[in-house]
Amino acid sequence: QRESDRLSQAMVQAMNATIEALFLYPVKSCRGIRLEAAELAATGLAAHGIGDREWLIVDDAGEFITQRSAPRMALIATALERHSLWLHAPGMLSLEIPFELEGDDITVRVWNDTLTATTQGQLASDWFTRFLGTPCQLVRFDRRQQRLADPRYTGTLEVPYQFADAFPLLVVSQASLDDFNARLQAQGEAAIGIERFRPNLVLGGIDAFGEDFIDEIRIGELTLRLVKPCSRCPVPTIDPATGLSHPAVGDLLNQFRATPEGVMFGVNAIVTAGAGREIRVGDEADISIRF
C-alpha cells in the first residue's frame, strides 16, 4: 500500500542516462578507487570480493574517525590487488593489508550504531597513528553481522550496508558537478573534481541535479531506487590534493543547495533487484523520474 501511495502521488516519466564513472571506497573517508567495472552487491559496489567501506579507522574508544575530524585522511590512497588492500600516503611506506588477515573482535561505533569489527594488526595501527597524529587503528567490518538502512526510507526491504554513513550507494550526476563548477569559477575559484562528493555512481545524460527527481535506475536486470537526498558534511570542502579546507566550496553549497533538512548534493540509493550482477562504465540506464 505504501508503494502504491508513493507512486500515485508522483508523475513518473522515463528517460535514459549512462554510467559515467564508478567509485569504490574500501576504507571509510580515505581516497576511493575509480573502477571500469564492479559487482553491484546489496551492500553497494564491490571488487575482488571487497565491499564499499569495508574498513574503518577508529580511536582508542572505538569511535569512528573520518575527514570531519582528521582531514589528512583525504591524502590516504587505497588500492585493491588480488589478495590485499594497499594503502599509500605522503611520507609513509606503503602498507599491505592481506584480505585473509585475522584479528580480534572489538566493538566500534559509527554514528548511533554499535557494531563488531576485526582489528587489522599493530602495524596498521602504528601506520595510521603516525600519519594522522592521533592514536587509532584500522578495523574491518564483521560480515557475520547485518547492519540495515533506516526502514523509513527503504520500506519493507531490508537493506544491508557496511561502514557507510547510512546507505549502500550515493548517486551524483556529471551535470551537477559541471553546474557547481560553473558557479564556483564565476566566483573566481578553481573547479573541483567529482571525488570531493564521494559518489559511487556518476550519471551522464541527465540535467544538473536531475538525480534529485530520479525514482529508479534500471541497467539490464539491475534496479536501483533512489531513496534520500544526501545531506553534506564538511568533507566536500577538503581538498584531496592537500588535505586542507577549501571554504569556498561549502559557502557555495550553502548558497543554493540548502534545505530545512540540510545542504544536499547527490542522492542515496539502494539495490532492489539484480544484486550480484556486474555494472560497467558506459552502461546505458533507463531512469524513471518523479515530480
Side-chain angles (χ1 to χ4, degrees), residues 19 168-174 176 194 197-204 206 210-212 214 217 224-230 232 265-270 287:
I19 304 301
L169 295 160
L170 178 64
V171 178
V172 172
S173 74
Q174 181 62 44
S176 296
I194 195 70
F197 296 103
R198 302 180 67 78
N200 297 110
L201 275 67
V202 180
L203 292 180
I206 65 173
E211 60 268 36
D212 295 347
I214 293 177
I217 302 172
L224 310 181
R225 182 185 301 161
L226 277 64
V227 294
K228 184 181 181 298
C230 182
R232 307 312 306 221
F265 196 105
V267 185
N268 294 294
I270 63 175
I287 62 176

Side-chain angles (χ1 to χ4, degrees), residues 46 63 124 145 162 167 179 194 235 244:
E63 293 286 337
Q145 70 195 323
Q162 299 192 112
F167 295 96
D179 180 279
I194 195 70
V235 169
L244 301 176

Side-chain angles (χ1 to χ4, degrees), residues 36-256:
E36 289 299 311
E39 176 190 349
L40 189 50
T43 54
L45 294 186
H48 299 286
I50 298 302
D52 196 64
R53 275 85 169 187
E54 186 148 338
W55 283 272
L56 176 72
I57 302 169
V58 297
D59 64 17
D60 284 346
E63 293 286 337
F64 76 118
I65 299 174
T66 70
Q67 292 182 37
R68 298 170 181 90
S69 60
R72 278 174 59 81
M73 290 179 69
L75 302 176
I76 301 173
T78 59
L80 294 175
E81 296 190 357
R82 187 173 181 182
H83 301 292
S84 301
L85 165 71
W86 283 87
L87 300 160
H88 311 275
M92 302 290 292
L93 294 174
S94 296
L95 177 66
E96 181 184 12
I97 305 293
F99 296 159
E100 299 304 318
L101 182 68
E102 296 182 357
D104 298 323
D105 289 344
I106 64 170
T107 298
V108 302
R109 280 179 57 84
V110 179
W111 298 116
N112 293 322
D113 292 336
T114 300
L115 304 163
T116 301
T118 305
T119 59
Q120 300 293 282
Q122 189 62 47
L123 181 61
S125 297
D126 293 343
W127 194 92
F128 280 98
T129 295
R130 177 180 174 183
F131 185 71
L132 297 179
T134 187
C136 57
Q137 63 178 322
L138 181 70
V139 298
R140 189 174 180 182
F141 190 84
D142 184 346
R143 295 187 182 183
R144 294 171 295 181
Q145 70 195 323
Q146 193 173 49
R147 185 184 183 210
L148 299 177
D150 191 332
R152 289 180 297 171
Y153 303 102
T154 62
T156 58
L157 292 176
E158 291 190 343
V159 177
Y161 66 115
Q162 299 192 112
F163 286 132
D165 278 351
F167 295 96
L169 295 160
L170 178 64
V171 178
V172 172
S173 74
Q174 181 62 44
S176 296
L177 176 69
D178 294 343
D179 180 279
F180 184 85
N181 276 331
R183 296 169 188 261
L184 195 60
Q185 290 173 305
Q187 297 181 356
E189 300 285 343
I192 63 171
I194 195 70
E195 66 274 5
R196 291 283 192 105
F197 296 103
R198 302 180 67 78
N200 297 110
L201 275 67
V202 180
L203 292 180
I206 65 173
D207 292 339
F209 307 105
E211 60 268 36
D212 295 347
F213 304 99
I214 293 177
D215 184 42
E216 289 186 333
I217 302 172
R218 292 179 295 279
I219 307 164
E221 297 183 20
L222 277 168
T223 303
L224 310 181
R225 182 185 301 161
L226 277 64
V227 294
K228 184 181 181 298
C230 182
S231 177
R232 307 312 306 221
C233 66
V235 169
T237 69
I238 299 169
D239 185 343
T242 65
L244 301 176
S245 177
H246 183 191
V249 172
D251 293 343
L252 179 56
L253 284 171
N254 276 287
Q255 287 172 21
F256 81 110

Side-chain angles (χ1 to χ4, degrees), residues 263-281:
V263 177
M264 305 298 183
F265 196 105
V267 185
N268 294 294
I270 63 175
V271 181
T272 58
R277 295 184 178 276
E278 185 182 69
I279 184 172
R280 301 187 66 88
V281 172

